[in-house]
Amino acid sequence: MNMTSPIPVSAEEQPANPSSRGHIRAMRRSDIPAVQALFTRAFHQAGSAPDFAAYVEALFFDNPNYSEADSSLVYDNGKGAINSAILALPMPFSIHGRRLMGRLLCAYMSDGTAAGALGAARIARSLRASQVEMCFTDNASPVSADHWIAGGGAILSQESLEWRRVFRPLSASIPASGKIPRFARSGLASVLSLADRLILRWKPSILPTASPDCLAKDAPFSAFLECVPAMTERFSVRPIWSREDFDWLTRMAAMNGHLGRLQCRVVESKGRTIGAFLFFANPKGSATVLNLLCEEGCEVEVVGQMFASLAADGHAAATGMVLPFFMNALMRQRRLTFRHRGYFCLNSRHEDLAQAAKAGQIYVGGLASERWSKLVTGF
């Protein structure tokens, strides 16, 4: 939920022009060109890709949980222009056993004008904690995070971190941003790969060790979904994925070829499934782990086997979002680092939800976040 144009403190205090009919409303399909222009301006041409409009329509209007009540919001200035917007994806959650529709907030945009600042401030006011069932984001900028706190929301510190486990040190050092020219990148990768093989012969302990009596093997996405009920039952707040929801999410995630090919693996111990994970495979770079599940008490074994299998694939490194329940297992790994990627923020008028999230009793991230979205990494 990054926002590049800060809202002036006085914006919320400015009265609307009496002749203006500016108001907040649900985003319509017909608004997509205007939202694309906003996105392009706010995020430095990121929205100029030819398939951007079709992707936004599919993501925010064709999802199984779409409803106008839980949709994206725009500020219509009443004169035919949209000056600010926030994109929102509805996601159902279980909160202490009751069903609630959460909203994943994906992009908070303003056109940089006074009208845009006013509209953005009004949108922010409409999403205060006291007024929403559940709104969250895993990619907020410092400016956006400040507005969450001012609106009564919370920042979840551990979920705001990203872990990175290196398998091949030199290959992992190649920037993923494309700063190296393509013609030079292939040759450099080959040289560093050869050097890594020599390093690993000399110091094989760099690679993760497989967990005893465990096996990670490829599986259909449905195998992950089958693990969800039992392996997320321990969390007071967790996503509700119907078959339709899950199939749609994995289909949309698979469209993000920039991250690699979306895959599923299960972890078995003595023939019994004790964990599962979804990840983007990119053997020439870093694997991106979306979701990890395991039986309670099997965190160390599942995390260890996950890393061993990704290293065996030839990945230079693996990255993913931190969740408190497997922090202990992560910290047992060598060559693992943490970095701040974006603020994970949450708003809710339900105190039991907020308290459970702050206590680490929430299962989010991956498909229950925007880590897979092309809005973040694909354009």
Side-chain angles (χ1 to χ4, degrees):
M1 190 188 143
N2 283 313
M3 184 187 70
T4 58
S5 302
I7 300 173
V9 174
S10 59
E12 293 193 46
E13 301 168 359
Q14 298 171 4
N17 188 321
S19 63
S20 170
R21 291 186 175 182
H23 61 284
I24 299 168
R25 60 170 173 80
M27 187 173 85
R28 304 166 185 155
R29 290 179 192 262
S30 60
D31 295 325
I32 292 176
V35 169
Q36 179 173 6
L38 267 183
F39 193 96
T40 303
R41 179 171 180 174
F43 300 108
H44 310 294
Q45 305 302 314
S48 59
D51 61 337
F52 180 89
Y55 183 78
V56 167
E57 182 170 16
L59 188 60
F60 297 105
F61 290 98
D62 296 338
N63 68 78
N65 295 298
Y66 172 78
S67 73
E68 188 172 297
D70 299 304
S71 66
S72 304
L73 299 174
V74 299
Y75 178 73
D76 186 328
N77 71 358
K79 299 177 182 178
I82 292 173
N83 300 108
S84 51
I86 192 165
L87 301 180
L89 189 64
M91 291 185 170
F93 274 77
S94 172
I95 314 297
H96 294 281
R98 65 184 189 275
R99 183 185 174 94
L100 178 153
M101 188 61 73
R103 276 195 287 179
L104 171 65
L105 304 184
C106 302
Y108 187 22
M109 302 167 283
S110 165
D111 64 6
T113 65
L118 177 61
R122 289 184 174 178
I123 289 173
R125 261 206 317 266
S126 73
L127 297 172
R128 289 180 183 274
S130 60
Q131 297 174 282
V132 298
E133 294 287 284
M134 176 186 179
C135 288
F136 68 104
T137 179
D138 69 327
N139 194 35
S141 68
V143 171
S144 294
D146 289 343
H147 284 283
W148 280 88
I149 295 298
I155 293 173
L156 305 186
S157 299
Q158 290 192 53
E159 289 84 347
S160 298
L161 296 175
E162 178 180 75
W163 54 260
R164 186 171 190 255
R165 199 333 181 157
V166 170
F167 309 132
R168 290 164 175 80
L170 297 181
S171 298
S173 68
I174 301 177
S177 60
K179 293 179 180 179
I180 300 174
R182 184 175 296 180
F183 71 86
R185 193 178 187 87
S186 178
L188 178 61
S190 297
V191 171
L192 295 183
S193 178
L194 176 60
D196 274 329
R197 286 199 292 272
L198 296 175
I199 290 172
L200 293 176
R201 284 182 187 175
W202 169 62
K203 200 170 184 179
S205 60
I206 290 174
L207 291 174
T209 304
S211 301
D213 300 319
C214 286
L215 172 69
K217 63 181 186 180
D218 293 333
F221 294 139
S222 58
F224 183 90
L225 183 60
E226 289 169 5
C227 292
V228 169
M231 294 185 187
T232 63
E233 187 178 18
R234 55 174 151 157
F235 300 101
S236 303
V237 180
R238 57 189 184 273
I240 298 173
W241 288 320
S242 67
R243 171 71 66 175
E244 183 184 18
D245 292 338
F246 187 78
D247 287 350
W248 182 84
L249 282 166
T250 52
R251 190 164 60 249
M252 292 298 296
M255 293 173 65
N256 194 348
H258 178 81
L259 291 175
R261 184 167 65 91
L262 185 63
Q263 291 184 242
C264 173
R265 279 188 186 150
V266 295
V267 177
E268 294 182 350
S269 177
K270 300 178 180 179
R272 181 171 60 89
T273 298
I274 62 170
F277 58 101
L278 299 174
F279 67 102
F280 284 103
N282 185 4
K284 293 184 179 180
S286 291
T288 302
V289 177
L290 279 184
N291 289 91
L292 173 67
L293 292 172
C294 69
E295 290 186 352
E296 190 168 7
C298 295
E299 291 83 4
V300 172
E301 292 80 4
V302 171
V303 167
Q305 193 62 37
M306 175 185 73
F307 283 140
S309 72
L310 294 176
D313 289 343
H315 292 97
T319 63
M321 176 181 166
V322 170
L323 288 177
F325 81 94
F326 67 90
M327 179 63 92
N328 175 48
L330 282 176
M331 291 191 297
R332 292 168 183 253
Q333 289 289 318
R334 302 181 59 169
R335 306 193 73 84
L336 187 132
T337 57
F338 299 94
R339 75 178 182 102
H340 173 68
R341 181 179 179 274
Y343 289 96
F344 189 104
C345 302
L346 183 142
N347 267 0
S348 177
R349 63 185 181 86
H350 300 286
E351 185 62 23
D352 59 344
L353 190 164
Q355 291 302 318
K358 291 175 183 176
Q361 281 296 307
I362 182 172
Y363 184 84
V364 287
L367 294 179
S369 74
E370 62 173 328
R371 302 244 160 173
W372 50 270
S373 172
K374 288 180 69 175
L375 294 178
V376 178
T377 58
F379 291 113

